Amino acid sequence: MSAEDNPFDGVGDTVRGADEWLNTTFGWYAVAKKEFQDALRSKGFWVLAILFTALFIRPVAAELYFSPATNQARSQLGMQLLISRYYLNLVSFLLPIVAIFAGYAAISKEHTSGSIKVLLSLPHSRREVIIGKIVGRCAVVGVPLLISFGLTALFLVVSKLTFKPGMFTMWAALSLLFTLVIVTVAVSISGAVLRNIYSLMASIVFYLEITFVWNLQVNAIAGWLAENLGFAPAVRWQLAFVAKLFNPSQAYKTIVNSQLSQGANGARMARWSMFSQPSDRMETICTGALNGNATVQRSLFGNQTVCQDAGQSLPLWLSDPAVLGYMAAWLVLAGAISYYTFDRYDL
Amino acid sequence: MFHEGLYVVGVKPARMAAIELDGVTKRFGGVTALQSVDLTVEEGEIFGFLGPNGAGKSTCINILLDFVRPTEGSVRVLDKDAYEGSTEIRERTGVLPEGYDVYDRLTGYQHLEFAIESKQADDDPDELLDRVGLSPEEGARKAGGYSKGMAQRLILAMALVDEPDLLILDEPTTGLDPNGARLLRDIVREENERGATVFFSSHILSQVEAVCDTVGILNEGELIAKDSVEELRQTETGDTRLTVTLGGDDAETAREAVSGLDTVTSATADGNRLVVECDDDAKMGVLTAIEDAGITVEDFEAAEPSLEDLFAAYTDADSTEASR
């Protein structure tokens, strides 16, 4: 068969061309590519893809294929419920652990084994090594994650549940971003401490912090500040908001929740539900920080207080784009701190 | 580049230095690894960097590559500052580091492709493998399963990518069998003929002698000598120690017989053994002289001058000069 007959020949050329372009344009590309090739050959990479898929599909399989009680109303609402009740927790609890294991040894292991000497004998600056490692390890977690999102989507399409592609894509993209933030932090710690064991310990502390401790600390600190420095109640809650939103785990959940509700007031309600305080405080949070109006609504489940639109928009720094920005800031901040320390080490 | 008139008549224009260390000191915590080292390696030279393990050779090489930053002093490599211009330096340098590890899951080919991509070169991985004596089958295997010698050949092949202007080889014969060591020497000579400067560190005197033009000797963090290899050989003459086991007990006669030779520095009789210090190439003459005196030689053993002896020779020479 001659070259012209091969329909995939052009594809190969395009891929080669892109590969070459990336390599000549970005100094970190060769490092990232090596990192990814290395992982492709490990079984763990493929185990990840299967594990993710199994976890995402399990509740759907149980509920929607075998439960006879599934009616049309549940099918309609199913997508939101599935994401907010199940996927959100699954992603925020489990994916950081996977991300940490994929990233914590990225640089420290090369330092311990000595392969970093091979790496840095080649013309890579230390900055390029950090960026290449971050990009490479993000791909190592991101690609199996994308594969499992794809398989999950297929599974949902053929289930009894109404598949909402826009919503699913939104959730998948934000989950990917969240995971990549954690990978970046783990790789960055690895470059900053240069010892596997310290890197793992620091990453685990980071995980426990964002998953369990952060919000409690924020509430305690903001409360203490308000009492001792005499902050106005509104200022206290505004501070608490910013501090909470800098937690990538919290940021991820609140953006997804606000996007799921799809209403004009979705973002405000999502932010408001970040707190569970006595009702007088909840009112202050609604009026003082969210520019809203706390009202009691009657519903099937009894009286419910909600934070309604009071004609003023949500402050810009609490909006979804801003929260997205706080998450993205971690990518830059972690990388920069890591570079700053790694660059100063004697290897 | 310069106007001819700038040169003073009779003074040859200096060759550019490939490596220039000026008062380099490196302390790790309280430990001094290098103490005000001044060293110049000319372009096009094969420079042997000799010293026992722990003398500071690797620290010095790590400084050249910006793995480690000096506490004091300035370092220039290929006319660039070792810190500021490190990436540019490494674009033109091939390195065989010491105490490295390969990427276990990547194949030999993938290692070479990584080096080729990193240097944005267009070398042929097969040719590189062939040059260092690895077969294509070995190249297709994961490097995690390589022996030390194979890994050493692979990293050497990576160092040869893109015809570097400078080759830095840190204890390059580690793990190589005699054939590998010979191959390495051939490659060093070929690269040098092509125009590359070679910086070759070793703790084994004979290896450095075999290929190098100039030798620098490092001991306990200090550069104690820098000489051409011929001068080095002269310094070590007289240091070859020949221990001869004689057929009879008449060591005294044998001692008298060899003492007359002008290639012999000293001779000591000890029972049926005679210990002779002589020129390295005078060994046969000594043995012949003993046999001519009617004494049979049962056995003999020649001890190459050790690195320690060489240090002693240089250190003594220094102190003699100083006392003059």
Side-chain angles (χ1 to χ4, degrees):
Chain A
M1 194 164 82
S2 74
E4 292 98 84
D5 295 335
N6 186 350
F8 294 106
D9 211 56
V11 178
D13 281 348
T14 313
V15 170
R16 255 192 303 282
D19 185 60
E20 229 176 274
W21 179 82
L22 284 165
N23 190 39
T24 44
T25 312
F26 301 110
W28 47 260
Y29 178 71
V31 179
K33 186 176 162 188
K34 179 218 64 128
E35 206 65 19
F36 190 67
Q37 278 180 330
D38 194 22
L40 271 185
R41 293 192 159 235
S42 86
K43 289 186 193 75
F45 181 85
W46 300 106
V47 170
L48 269 190
I50 294 166
L51 177 82
F52 289 153
T53 313
L55 283 167
F56 288 140
I57 286 174
R58 196 192 63 84
V60 188
E63 176 75 8
L64 297 160
Y65 281 79
F66 304 113
S67 165
T70 308
N71 57 30
Q72 211 189 342
R74 282 183 76 170
S75 298
Q76 272 301 321
L77 211 69
M79 195 78 190
Q80 272 102 321
L81 286 178
L82 186 68
I83 292 176
S84 73
R85 295 271 167 82
Y86 183 76
Y87 284 172
L88 217 50
N89 286 332
L90 182 72
V91 168
S92 63
F93 277 93
L94 194 72
L95 287 195
I97 298 177
V98 174
I100 283 169
F101 276 97
Y104 86 92
I107 296 169
S108 49
K109 189 179 166 218
E110 287 219 28
H111 180 248
T112 317
S113 76
S115 57
I116 199 143
K117 288 190 173 174
V118 176
L119 182 61
L120 280 173
S121 290
L122 296 168
H124 300 292
S125 65
R126 295 194 188 186
R127 189 170 57 91
E128 285 167 0
V129 168
I130 295 266
I131 297 174
K133 285 275 179 185
I134 288 173
V135 174
R137 294 285 163 134
C138 280
V140 169
V141 183
V143 170
L145 195 58
L146 282 176
I147 293 173
S148 81
F149 284 149
L151 292 173
T152 307
L154 279 180
F155 201 81
L156 290 172
V157 167
V158 295
S159 73
K160 290 180 189 171
L161 189 122
T162 313
F163 183 68
K164 297 167 185 167
M167 189 175 283
F168 186 84
T169 309
M170 175 277 299
W171 165 74
L174 288 169
S175 302
L176 185 68
L177 174 67
F178 171 63
T179 310
L180 299 191
V181 165
I182 310 298
V183 174
T184 302
V185 170
V187 173
S188 299
I189 291 175
S190 188
V193 302
L194 289 189
R195 286 273 298 275
N196 280 341
I197 184 71
Y198 296 158
S199 175
L200 183 60
M201 277 170 9
S203 280
I204 288 173
V205 168
F206 175 75
Y207 169 73
L208 295 175
E209 179 71 31
I210 63 165
T211 313
F212 303 107
V213 193
W214 190 303
N215 284 357
L216 298 175
Q217 285 173 338
V218 165
N219 283 333
I221 292 170
W224 186 87
L225 285 175
E227 260 174 49
N228 289 279
L229 300 176
F231 282 162
V235 176
R236 169 188 171 170
W237 298 114
Q238 283 164 4
L239 275 178
F241 260 118
V242 176
K244 277 194 172 194
L245 289 172
F246 258 100
N247 176 347
S249 180
Q250 175 78 79
Y252 163 70
K253 284 191 228 174
T254 192
I255 301 191
V256 173
N257 276 328
S258 100
Q259 292 292 320
L260 283 179
S261 68
Q262 289 177 315
N265 202 35
R268 182 174 283 116
M269 277 305 288
R271 300 300 167 271
W272 201 50
S273 63
M274 281 163 54
F275 289 91
S276 66
Q277 297 279 343
S279 60
D280 57 326
R281 283 182 174 176
M282 290 306 281
E283 272 174 40
T284 318
I285 294 169
C286 179
T287 50
L290 295 171
N291 295 344
N293 185 16
T295 41
V296 179
Q297 275 188 344
R298 249 183 219 175
S299 76
L300 280 173
F301 312 102
N303 286 347
Q304 251 189 331
T305 314
V306 294
C307 188
Q308 281 190 324
D309 195 335
Q312 263 184 302
S313 62
L314 195 66
L316 189 65
W317 49 275
L318 289 177
S319 66
D320 281 359
V323 179
L324 206 59
Y326 300 148
M327 271 174 95
W330 277 93
L331 299 173
V332 179
L333 198 71
I337 291 174
S338 182
Y339 168 68
Y340 186 83
T341 42
F342 182 55
D343 191 48
R344 270 149 192 79
Y345 278 120
D346 282 344
L347 299 174
Chain B
M1 199 160 78
F2 295 103
H3 194 273
E4 256 178 86
L6 284 175
Y7 293 118
V8 181
V9 178
V11 177
K12 263 201 318 192
R15 279 195 290 177
M16 211 185 78
I19 293 174
E20 250 182 313
L21 275 76
D22 191 3
V24 171
T25 294
K26 177 65 190 179
R27 282 185 284 270
F28 293 102
V31 183
T32 305
L34 289 176
Q35 182 65 52
S36 22
V37 172
D38 297 317
L39 176 68
T40 307
V41 176
E42 304 292 345
E43 216 169 50
E45 233 177 8
I46 305 182
F47 182 84
F49 199 41
L50 194 59
N53 291 324
K57 299 191 300 293
S58 288
T59 302
C60 193
I61 287 176
N62 287 343
I63 286 176
L64 297 179
L65 296 170
D66 190 43
F67 293 172
V68 163
R69 276 78 188 241
T71 314
E72 284 161 35
S74 82
V75 184
R76 292 187 75 77
V77 181
L78 297 172
D79 219 25
K80 301 249 166 19
D81 181 82
Y83 172 66
E84 309 262 322
S86 181
T87 315
E88 288 162 273
I89 290 168
R90 284 175 287 134
E91 269 164 18
R92 296 168 54 200
T93 305
V95 186
L96 176 56
E98 201 233 340
Y100 64 85
D101 194 9
V102 292
Y103 294 108
D104 290 353
R105 284 197 294 256
L106 296 184
T107 65
Y109 276 108
Q110 284 175 320
H111 277 82
L112 287 172
E113 273 154 17
F114 177 45
I116 293 166
E117 280 189 6
S118 297
K119 290 197 159 182
Q120 307 199 353
D122 52 6
D123 297 61
D124 176 3
D126 283 298
E127 271 173 37
L128 289 165
L129 284 175
D130 186 54
R131 261 190 97 182
V132 298
L134 289 174
S135 67
E137 293 74 38
E138 287 169 322
R141 275 169 47 194
K142 287 185 188 179
Y146 279 15
S147 68
K148 178 78 184 117
M150 286 167 74
Q152 192 81 348
R153 285 166 192 253
L154 176 62
I155 304 296
L156 176 64
M158 287 173 77
L160 297 176
V161 168
D162 205 24
E163 303 202 331
D165 295 333
L166 173 66
L167 264 179
I168 296 180
L169 311 172
D170 197 357
E171 298 280 359
T173 49
T174 311
L176 292 181
D177 56 17
N179 283 331
R182 200 171 314 121
L183 182 81
L184 174 82
R185 279 199 293 276
D186 291 344
I187 288 176
V188 165
R189 287 200 192 95
E190 285 163 21
E191 289 294 297
N192 182 246
E193 271 159 34
R194 179 178 61 72
T197 309
V198 183
F199 189 92
F200 184 115
S201 105
S202 178
H203 66 284
I204 302 162
L205 181 61
S206 58
Q207 283 181 3
V208 168
E209 266 191 312
V211 287
C212 299
D213 307 321
T214 314
V215 177
I217 300 172
L218 194 72
N219 194 31
E220 292 178 357
E222 287 183 71
L223 191 71
I224 57 173
K226 191 194 157 197
D227 254 335
S228 71
V229 120
E230 290 78 32
E231 279 174 84
L232 183 84
R233 285 212 184 92
Q234 278 176 10
T235 308
E236 72 184 68
T237 20
D239 277 340
T240 293
R241 174 175 297 170
L242 194 62
T243 307
V244 190
T245 310
L246 305 169
D249 275 347
D250 204 0
E252 193 49 36
T253 317
R255 193 189 67 76
E256 277 164 26
V258 299
S259 292
L261 300 171
D262 55 5
T263 51
V264 170
T265 321
S266 75
T268 327
D270 174 21
N272 68 338
R273 291 202 307 181
L274 183 69
V275 179
V276 185
E277 308 248 325
C278 64
D279 282 2
D280 189 47
D281 44 9
K283 285 178 288 200
M284 280 318 291
V286 170
L287 296 176
T288 316
I290 296 171
E291 302 231 293
D292 286 352
I295 299 159
T296 46
V297 172
E298 293 246 297
D299 193 13
F300 71 93
E301 198 182 318
E304 293 272 314
S306 69
L307 210 47
E308 286 71 27
D309 296 334
L310 193 66
F311 291 148
Y314 271 103
T315 324
D316 289 351
D318 283 352
S319 54
T320 325
E321 262 168 45
S323 62
R324 254 178 225 156

